[in-house]
Amino acid sequence: MARGRIRAKLRRSHLYTFGCLRPVTTESQEPHSIQGPGYTRIVYCNQPHMHKHKPLRYCSNYVSTTKYNLITFLRKALYEQFNRVANLYFLVAAILSVFPISPFNKWSMIAPLIFVVGLSMAKEALEDWRRFMQDMKINSRKASVHKGNGVFGNRAWRKLRVGDVVKVEKDQFFPADLLFLSSSYEDGICYVETMNLDGETNLKVKRSLEVTLPLDDDECFKNFTGMIKCEDPNPNLYTFIGNLEYERQVYPLDPTQILLRDSKLRNTSYVYGVVIFTGHDSKVMQNATKSPSKRSKIERKMDYIIYILLTLLVLVSLISSLGFALETKFHMSDWWYLQPQFPDQSYNPSNPAIAGMVHLVTALLLYGYLIPISLYVSIEVVKVLQATFINQDRHMYDDESGIPANARTSNLNEELGQVDTILSDKTGTLTCNQMDFLKCSIAGTSYGVRSSEVEMAAAKQMAVDLEEQGSAISGVSRDKTKVLGSWQSNKRESEIELETVVTSKDEKDQKLPIRGFSFEDSRLLNGNWLNEPNIDVLMLFFRILSVCHTAIPELNEETGIYTYEAESPDEAAFLVAAREFGFEFCKRTQSSVFIHEKYSSSGQPIEREFKILNLLDFTSKRKRMSVIVRDEEGQILLLCKGADSIIFDRLSKSGRMYEEVTSKHLNEYGEAGLRTLALAYKKLDESEYSAWNNEFLKAKTSIGADRDAMLERVSDMMERDLILVGATAVEDKLQKGVPQCIYKLAQAGLKIWVLTGDKMETAINIGFACSLLRQGMKQICITAMNSDSSNQDSKEAVRENIVMQITNASRMIKLEKDPHAAFALIIDGKTLTYALEDDMKHQFLALAVDCASIICCRVSPKQKALVTRLVKEGTGKTTLAIGDGANDVGMIQEADIGVGISGVEGMQAVMASDFSIAQFRFLERLLVVHGHWCYKRIAQMICYFFYKNIAFGLTLFYFEAFTGFSGQSVYNDSYLLLFNVVLTSLPVISLGVFEQDVSSEVCLQFPALYQQGPRNLFFDWYRILGWMGNGVYSSLVIFFLNIAIFHDQAFRAGGQTADMDVVGTTMFTCIIWAVNAQIALTMSHFTWIQHLLVWGSIATWYIFLVLYGLMPPSISGNVHELLVEALASAPLYWIAMFLVVVACNLPYFAHISIQRTLNPLDHHIIQEIKYYRKDVEDERMWTRERSKARQETKIGFTARVDAKIRQLRGKLQKKQSTLDVQHVMPPSS
């Protein structure tokens, strides 16, 4: 509590120049004009009962992301089911089966339809129930709400109402959009983290109205009332217009007083606020879209195949009805057993057209087995089981958080295997929002020997490359070539050998990690910097780190160590670094900061006070921060840190002593993926400072539209003629395994876009850190020039300028002749507003497609969704969006596949996603392993389904033609019912669940295999029609070979000929054997389950024949003891079955044999290597094959390695040519 009191004394607004300054006369400004459409919202503060009735009754704070509710489920789910062509056909068929013209029992059509549709709806209900439970988890969070008489109590988020006064404490999320009234700080300042909304890591400063500052205690709200008139709900995160009527005065409101739902309170003990927008009226939910119904490309293509089969069905039905009409007209009089003298409409010789029409309906039902009714339900079962395997994959389980992967919908499993473009958020997705101080350059000397994650990942890959390609670099001994971590590019001037990398792996040096500090260099640690040259510069460097900031120290009483609550992770990392170097920031008052210096000239620790005279805070436009202080000796100093390009432009002539070498170090740090800042200072005399401060105070207290411009001009005057001290290099900690994952995804042929709300500089730094950018890559920055946004001519000029930039960039790429050249496109949100307009967006997309990396920064949630839609619709290829915050919901829902990161920042992204994972690195396995498997499984499964149904269904047509188009089925009704439901369903499900062309380890070792999905090798029309042709061939063989065998000879020793039931049962046996043998040939990977289901299905057929035949004739009919008495004892039955099955599968066997021999696919080669264990017997060959399979990419850390190897080869060739010249030249006499 003591700490809270100390902090409450600080008036934080005194620290800031630009962000949250409150001029003394601000609240005397005229209130906003709130009238007309779009400004009808009225909120009665602390009087929620006023909003119980219309027109002031607003939506509740309940948030739902489900697709259905109890009222709409039946209607919507039935629509979804009968939106499928096959289901619609079977609905019509089930209705027609009730009438006498049906050739089957009605239940043989109705029962399968109810089963299929019911199971699919149950699956949809289960998945939506899971979404509902996650919604309830959010809606059941507790908020502290004023219940009356100054008493606050907990209430569920969903029960909050407009007008409620809410108390939010530190590190809690805001439950609704609130008007900020007061905080634990005396001057009504609070810090808000909006990473969940816009992806920005820096904290935002919010300020309350001065008139509400006294409302800083629970008791104060006992009699509090007021009225807010403001804009209606809208998706604009950065704007707000409204007025507060309080104590008979009207005060204007702006966005700095609004606390948005799903942002988090940081560095502030508590705040009070009034609920303005609830639930789906809140700005974050206004940016969300309704949960879309997504269908995979394979499923959409499947509809076209169903259309083809329906066309085939109608065609054979028309042929059948025409044949029956002709038979009725010309031969009915000869069919005495039909009693033609008493005809009915179904076979009246005098009216064959009517007979043909009636027979058409019969034929449509009879040949309905061409359409696989069980296809959809089998796919649903397979996808649910596939999703279960994804959920249970231990390799995608995060040990730290205990969160597994979760397939929230199973409809898109196979789509995971066809992704072409990934659109990723940055903060919380690629990074974990933790900064570590890693390296620094002081007085022209680089310090810090520890390698960044990017360097270590690249060096590891470089070591592998050198092992694989060692022979290519002639003259370099492998014994000398050791890559231990990262390379130091320019340390050796003339040696042509690989640079040795220094990494700190010495176990003796291991100590407990310090959050924010990964620096290792004995020259600076433990006070050793006192032995370095330029001690004064080193001391100044450390003091800039410890003084130039806006953080607050907090003492951990248990450890005795200070921690820091800073606006950004960078700032916290600098303070931790300063502490570790011996300059500990330990106290802040309203006008001073105190630094505990561990090492001093006296040898004793000392506490120094620096009086804060002015603070010129960081803004994205300024790209720098300065503080003017007076030290204990009375010297006035300006201490500045900022982007190197900004600082270098402001150096004095005498302050550029270290500029050249520092620039070199900054380039090295950038190559290592680190975020850099330059540090500088200047001394001020009293008169110079006084004159400037007078100007500064005038600008600071001015009122008007040009106030910010005046402040910037005055600040810029002071931040000139600086003296360079050095530079810092901070590692924005990527999530574990991100560089390796991006490398594997690039190897798999995937394109990666980064869409972030963060600043351009931050986005570029992360691009370097995760190897989407690298040194040598040509950056194309498309930016909009500054203009008057209200002027139409200015807008047109900006538009034309952007078009010109895009055109010039496209031309530059086309004219580039270097095959290794790589381009990166970087564009900000303001420019995207124009680039996404209809007349420009396709031009922009064409440029983006030509670039290796695309980074869009400062983008709003809506722009993320629009970019995703542009890529999806413009390229026509499968897109995947991945993010972790509420600002990513739009793009997650817009993409073909949405993946949510189950991070610490809320659950909105997960709730809107199709799949959720705990870390970005698991995306590699989700796509490269599960996506690859699911795509091939579903594709093969669907092709096989059409094959077996065509093979079975066309035999019905052949038999009907053979029997005068009578409408008679050659198979018993029970056979028809069992064919799809029992005898062929389980093997195809086992194919869809367990099939593996290669193991998961091989998928990860050969990521290029993934390209089989985006190229659609296993579900293109060539393969689909091939399987259909195989089905037609099999049906011809099954029917005509059986007819040829049984037609003209006795099939039993007693001389009995075959009747229809014998022929039908034999044909059906052949079909069961042929289709199950076919699926066995299709499978590459067998488990005992597959053996059981494939061969068990055949055994089940024989068991059924025996058991069904033992039933009374009243049930079994003509198949009573057919197998036992007639078929089993007839050799012809077994011979026919063997010949037919061999004949059916011989062409497919020949096809795969020829393909594997003459034109093998990638996985065929790997299968053979694995089968003959060549990977174990000859590891060098296996390594060589892996190297050959690796694609050349323009991104990923291997692109860095390839560039490095090219550089080394160039050096070797240059040295070799020099040696050759020296050898050829005769010695001088």
Side-chain angles (χ1 to χ4, degrees), residues 703-720:
I703 299 173
D706 60 344
R707 174 178 170 275
D708 283 347
M710 289 174 63
L711 274 171
E712 174 57 38
R713 181 178 57 80
V714 175
S715 299
D716 186 66
M717 286 166 50
M718 173 57 70
E719 295 167 321
R720 293 281 176 182

Side-chain angles (χ1 to χ4, degrees), residues 2 131 598 650 677 733 788 975 980:
R131 295 190 191 97
K598 191 174 180 181
R650 284 166 167 71
L677 285 179
K733 294 294 282 187
D788 181 4
Y975 300 175
N980 278 321

Side-chain angles (χ1 to χ4, degrees), residues 760 780-784 802 805-806 809 825-828 831 847:
M760 182 176 286
I780 300 170
C781 292
I782 309 291
T783 55
I802 294 171
Q805 290 182 63
I806 293 174
L825 175 63
I826 300 162
I827 187 169
D828 61 23
T831 313
L847 171 63

Side-chain angles (χ1 to χ4, degrees), residues 402-462:
I403 298 174
N406 182 20
R408 289 170 44 82
T409 176
S410 57
N411 293 340
L412 303 171
N413 294 350
E414 68 274 23
E415 200 85 333
L416 289 172
Q418 294 187 281
V419 176
D420 177 78
T421 304
I422 296 172
L423 300 106
S424 174
D425 176 43
K426 179 191 75 69
T427 308
T429 303
L430 298 176
T431 66
C432 48
N433 197 27
Q434 178 189 335
M435 307 297 175
D436 276 7
F437 190 95
L438 198 67
K439 298 175 187 285
C440 60
S441 172
I442 310 173
T445 303
S446 181
Y447 296 96
V449 297
R450 188 167 185 167
S451 301
S452 68
E453 291 177 355
V454 173
E455 289 177 297
M456 287 190 281
K460 185 177 179 182
Q461 183 61 40
M462 189 175 183

Side-chain angles (χ1 to χ4, degrees), residues 4 34 60 100 123 128 200 231 331 363 370 444 498 516 531 542 565 707 785 855 867 870 891 906 952 1030 1139 1153:
I34 306 294
S60 72
K123 171 184 161 287
D128 215 50
E200 288 205 30
E231 62 186 23
H331 300 116
L370 286 169
L498 294 179
N531 302 320
F542 299 143
E565 292 194 347
R707 174 178 170 275
M785 61 184 186
I855 297 177
V867 169
L870 174 63
M891 74 171 182
F952 175 59
N1030 191 20
L1139 289 174
S1153 300

Side-chain angles (χ1 to χ4, degrees), residues 33 39 162 171 182 242 269 271 359 373 522 563 568 635 637 685 692 1187 1200 1209:
S33 176
Y39 297 94
V162 171
D171 292 333
S182 63
S269 296
V271 298
H359 185 81
I373 186 173
S522 58
T563 58
S568 68
Q635 176 65 57
L637 297 169
D685 57 46
W692 175 85
S1187 178
R1200 297 172 185 262
R1209 283 178 176 167

